[in-house]
Amino acid sequence: MAKRVAVVGAGVSGLSSIKCCLDEDLEPTCFERSDDIGGLWKFTETSKDGMTRVYRSLVTNICKEMSCYSDFPFQEDYPNFMKHEKFWGYLQEFAEHFDLLKYIRFRTTVCSITKRPDFSETGQWDVVTETEGKQDRAVFDAVMVCSGRFLNPHLPLQSFPGIHKFKGQILHSQEYRIPEGFEGKRVLVIGLGNTGGDIAVELSRTAAQVFLSTRTGTWVNSRFLEGGYPFNMMVVRRCRNVIAQVLPSCVLKWIQERRMNKRFNHENYGLSITKGKKPKFIMNDELPTCILCGTVTMKTSVKEFTETSALFEDGTVEGNIDTVIFTTGYTFSFPFFEEPLRSLCTKKLFLYKQILPSNLERATLALIGFIGLKGSILSATELQARWATRVFKGLCKIPPSQKLMAEITKKEQLTERGMMKDTSEDKLDFISYLDDLAACIGAKPNVPFLFLKDPRLAWEVFFGPCTPYQYRLTGPGKWDGARNAILTQWDRTMKPLKTRFVPDSSKPVSMSHYLKAWGASVLLASLLLIFRSSPLFKLVRDKLQDRISPYLPVSIW
C-alpha cells in the first residue's frame, strides 16, 4: 500500500512536492486554503484575505532558464524575466501537464498537525483540516509543509520610538498592491531588500517624494550584464564556483566590490554597505536612476518618529510624511504545530539540510522552501522535495535524531562561546546546496565523466549556466530531455528578444562567444583545479589570506 503524504500549500513548492510524491509512487493529498494554485503568485487587488500576494507591477528577478522545474522548461517565447501573471501561467501549465490538480483540496485550511501516539514506531501524523466550516481528521504517513516563508509579516514597531505618535498611514509591504492612492504624497519606505527597492521605484512615479531608509546599504545588481545577457546565467556557473573555492576569500571580496562599483559607485548613491554589516544584494534596474533623478532619496535608519516627521540617525529630519511602508520581511510561522516542534521549526539550525527537523524519532516531516538561497528558490525546493520523498521511502538514509541533536547542541555551545560563527541565517550558495542534495539522491552530474563521454554537454555543464536541467541527467528522476534542454538553453534565452529581423545581424550565443567571454576563466579554472590538488595549496592560501586580509574590504562574494 502506498504511503499517504499530506502536502500543505499549493504554491511553487507545493506543486513540485505533489509531483515528487507521484514520481516515488506515494499518495499525496494537498491542502490549499485559497481557491487556486500559485500561492503568493496569484495576484489579488486587495489584501483582505490576509494572504501574502505579489504586487501588481512585480517582475521576476531570476531569469526563466535558471528558475524553472527541471523537467519542464518555459516555452521559448516566454520573456527571460516576466510579470507575475506570466509566471503564474507557467505554474498552471506545469500543474495541468503533470495532472496535479486532482490531488489538491482547495478552500481547505490545515488546523493542526500532531504526532500520533505511536509516532516513534509508525512516524504517522494526525492532520485536522477545515473546509467551509466543516472539520475533517485524517492519518498520514508523512507531511510536507510548503506554506512558504511569507506567512507572518515582521513589523518591528517597537524598534521605532514615537511610531505610535505618528498620525500618517502605516503599512507593511504585505498590504501593498498598487501605486494608486499615493499620488502627491511623501512616502517613507523602511527596509532595502528586493521588495523595498521595487516599491520605492514604483511610487517614485506618482508620489511627491519617496525616502528609502536602510540600516545596512546594499549592492544593486541589474537583471543583465555586459552584452545584455541575463545576470544569473552569466554568474551562476560551476567554473566560477571552483574559482570561489580555491581563491582566498579576501581576493574574491575585492574582485566583487570592483565589479559592483564599475556600473556605478554605490557610496556616491548612498547605497554602500555599512561597515561591520553583512553584505546584501538586490536586483533592481531602475533604483540608481531614480536616485540620480532625485525621485528617490536615500536615508539612514530612522531614530525616532513624531506626529508628522521622521528623525534619522545622521541627524537629518524629513517632515510632512504621509505614509510609512515597512518592507521588513517576514518571520517563519507554523501555527498548526504543537510546541516544542513549532518553535524548533523556526530555527534553521535544527533543520537537517534545511528540511528535516532533527528532533523527530522518525523522519516523516519535511519543510520545503524555508531557505535563504543565492539563486532560484523554485529550483532548490524541487530538489528538496525529490530528496525528502526518497527519505520517506527509506531510499535515502539520514543520521539518527540523537546524533543530530548532539551535533546541534555542540554547535550552539561553540557559537555562544564565540568559537564558531553562527551562519544559520546566511544565504546558502546555490550550486553547493543543490549539489549536496543531488548527491544524496544520485542526481549530481559527474563532470569529469561527462568530459570523457559527452564533451559538448560537459562544456555547457561546467562552463555554462548551472540550470536545473543538470539535475535530470542521471540518477532517480532522470529525464531524457535534459541533455537537449541544456544544449538549447541559450536558444530559448534569445528567442523572445528576436522580434525584429535585422539583415546580417549577429548570431545568437555560440561556442565562439564562450571562448571570447570565458577563455580567461577557463584557463584560470583549469590551473586552479591542478593547483588545488597540490599539498602546497592550503599553505599558500592561508599565507596569502593572512597577508592580504588586513588591507581588503569585508566579504561581498
Side-chain angles (χ1 to χ4, degrees):
M1 182 178 176
K3 288 188 175 182
R4 299 186 65 206
V5 180
V7 179
V8 183
V12 167
S13 55
L15 293 176
S16 59
S17 294
I18 297 171
K19 180 181 177 294
C20 289
C21 284
L22 296 174
D23 290 344
E24 294 294 341
D25 296 320
L26 301 173
E27 186 181 310
T29 301
C30 178
F31 303 106
E32 169 56 47
R33 62 173 172 160
S34 71
D35 59 1
D36 213 334
I37 65 167
L40 62 84
W41 289 99
K42 182 64 175 177
F43 174 75
T44 59
E45 289 287 347
T46 66
S47 58
K48 292 180 180 178
D49 59 4
M51 296 180 66
T52 302
R53 308 281 191 176
V54 293
Y55 33 95
R56 189 173 64 190
S57 62
L58 185 137
V59 175
T60 58
N61 56 24
I62 298 179
C63 64
K64 65 178 182 179
E65 292 299 308
M66 300 297 293
S67 188
C68 63
Y69 294 111
S70 57
D71 55 358
F72 193 74
F74 280 90
Q75 297 179 32
E76 63 176 10
D77 60 344
Y78 271 46
N80 287 285
F81 299 93
M82 62 197 75
K83 295 195 71 174
H84 59 81
E85 57 260 44
K86 200 82 172 178
F87 185 82
W88 182 85
Y90 168 74
L91 298 179
Q92 188 75 33
E93 292 168 7
F94 175 78
E96 292 174 355
H97 179 79
F98 292 105
D99 199 19
L100 307 181
L101 296 177
K102 64 184 181 182
Y103 299 97
I104 305 173
R105 297 183 186 177
F106 293 106
R107 301 185 186 89
T108 301
T109 301
V110 175
C111 303
S112 68
I113 300 175
T114 55
K115 293 190 287 187
R116 286 183 59 78
D118 58 353
F119 179 84
S120 58
E121 285 79 35
T122 66
Q124 291 182 328
W125 300 85
D126 276 323
V127 178
V128 178
T129 59
E130 183 175 310
T131 306
E132 298 178 351
K134 181 181 179 181
Q135 284 201 346
D136 183 49
R137 180 185 299 270
V139 177
F140 289 91
D141 299 294
V143 175
M144 303 177 80
V145 178
C146 309
S147 50
R149 307 164 57 207
F150 306 102
L151 280 180
N152 192 33
H154 177 54
L155 193 60
L157 298 181
Q158 69 281 357
S159 299
F160 295 87
I163 188 66
H164 298 293
K165 302 177 186 176
F166 181 67
K167 292 185 176 180
Q169 183 183 24
I170 298 175
L171 299 174
H172 187 276
S173 55
Q174 185 201 42
E175 304 170 75
Y176 180 82
R177 294 289 190 274
I178 55 178
E180 285 76 15
F182 294 91
E183 295 90 344
K185 293 186 176 182
R186 289 167 61 83
V187 180
L188 171 60
V189 179
I190 296 179
L192 181 49
N194 283 306
T195 300
D198 283 352
I199 292 177
V201 166
E202 180 169 55
L203 290 181
S204 71
R205 303 186 186 105
T206 57
Q209 184 62 46
V210 175
F211 303 97
L212 183 51
S213 170
T214 174
R215 289 181 302 141
T216 62
T218 189
W219 295 107
V220 181
N221 283 311
S222 173
R223 285 181 171 83
F224 60 87
L225 288 181
E226 294 81 2
Y229 301 108
F231 173 87
N232 314 100
M233 294 187 75
M234 300 302 289
V235 170
V236 184
R237 301 180 175 219
R238 293 184 179 277
C239 59
R240 290 177 63 99
N241 252 39
V242 171
I243 296 172
Q245 289 172 17
V246 298
L247 283 181
S249 59
C250 54
V251 174
L252 297 174
K253 300 165 192 173
W254 179 72
I255 294 172
Q256 183 77 356
E257 181 171 323
R258 285 177 61 86
R259 185 185 71 78
M260 295 300 300
N261 280 326
K262 187 176 181 180
R263 180 181 170 216
F264 69 93
N265 188 306
H266 283 62
E267 184 176 356
N268 291 344
Y269 282 66
L271 291 165
S272 58
I273 302 294
T274 304
K275 186 176 181 180
K277 298 292 185 180
K278 291 182 179 180
K280 289 172 52 180
F281 297 83
I282 67 169
M283 194 73 72
N284 199 301
D285 302 299
E286 301 177 68
L287 181 59
T289 301
C290 290
I291 296 172
L292 194 64
C293 295
T295 55
V296 173
T297 301
M298 295 303 303
K299 305 296 294 185
T300 59
S301 56
V302 176
K303 183 178 181 180
E304 186 180 1
F305 281 98
T306 66
E307 292 182 350
T308 59
S309 305
L311 170 65
F312 297 90
E313 292 290 349
D314 60 2
T316 59
V317 178
E318 297 294 345
N320 300 317
I321 301 295
D322 298 295
T323 304
V324 177
I325 302 177
F326 285 87
T327 61
T328 44
Y330 297 80
T331 57
F332 290 169
S333 177
F334 305 97
F336 35 72
F337 287 147
E338 292 181 315
E339 293 293 358
L341 183 60
R342 181 187 300 175
S343 298
L344 286 176
C345 286
T346 64
K347 301 176 182 178
K348 293 181 181 180
L349 185 64
F350 285 88
L351 299 180
Y352 181 62
K353 295 191 181 299
Q354 308 287 310
I355 303 171
L356 303 178
S358 299
N359 65 318
L360 296 178
E361 310 96 298
R362 297 281 179 174
T364 57
L365 171 64
L367 308 184
I368 307 297
F370 295 88
I371 52 173
L373 197 65
K374 299 175 183 177
S376 167
I377 296 294
L378 184 153
S379 303
T381 58
E382 183 186 30
L383 257 180
Q384 286 185 325
R386 289 174 66 186
W387 177 71
T389 50
R390 291 183 68 78
V391 171
F392 295 161
K393 290 191 69 175
L395 299 175
C396 288
K397 304 298 182 182
I398 67 170
S401 62
Q402 297 90 337
K403 181 178 179 181
L404 293 176
M405 290 301 291
E407 291 176 354
I408 291 169
T409 301
K410 184 178 180 180
K411 286 181 181 178
E412 283 186 316
Q413 292 173 347
L414 291 175
T415 301
E416 290 173 359
R417 297 172 187 169
M419 300 171 66
M420 178 184 287
K421 184 180 178 182
D422 182 11
T423 60
S424 61
E425 297 302 319
D426 292 352
K427 285 193 173 184
L428 302 172
D429 177 74
F430 180 77
I431 295 178
S432 299
Y433 182 65
L434 266 63
D435 274 359
D436 180 44
L437 290 177
C440 292
I441 63 176
K444 179 183 176 182
N446 187 330
V447 178
F449 178 72
L450 276 179
F451 269 110
L452 296 174
K453 180 184 177 183
D454 192 339
R456 183 187 176 197
L457 177 62
W459 178 277
E460 292 285 349
V461 168
F462 187 70
F463 295 110
C466 185
T467 45
Y469 323 120
Q470 294 191 11
Y471 300 103
R472 292 286 183 178
L473 289 170
T474 187
K478 179 181 178 181
W479 175 45
D480 291 338
R483 181 181 187 275
N484 184 63
I486 293 171
L487 297 180
T488 57
Q489 56 198 11
W490 281 107
D491 295 332
R492 288 188 300 278
T493 299
M494 302 308 295
K495 173 69 174 179
L497 304 179
K498 300 295 183 178
T499 56
R500 172 176 172 258
F501 175 74
V502 181
D504 300 323
S505 62
S506 58
K507 296 180 179 179
V509 178
S510 62
M511 186 68 75
S512 61
H513 165 78
Y514 280 125
L515 290 174
K516 291 176 183 178
W518 293 96
S521 295
V522 170
L523 179 60
L524 179 58
S526 301
L527 292 174
L528 288 171
L529 279 171
I530 297 171
F531 178 57
R532 193 181 181 189
S533 62
S534 167
L536 293 175
F537 164 67
K538 188 175 186 301
L539 177 63
V540 172
R541 185 182 64 176
D542 292 344
K543 290 288 186 183
L544 192 58
Q545 177 91 36
D546 293 340
R547 286 181 170 232
I548 298 178
S549 57
Y551 306 101
L552 293 176
V554 276
S555 174
I556 55 174
W557 184 260

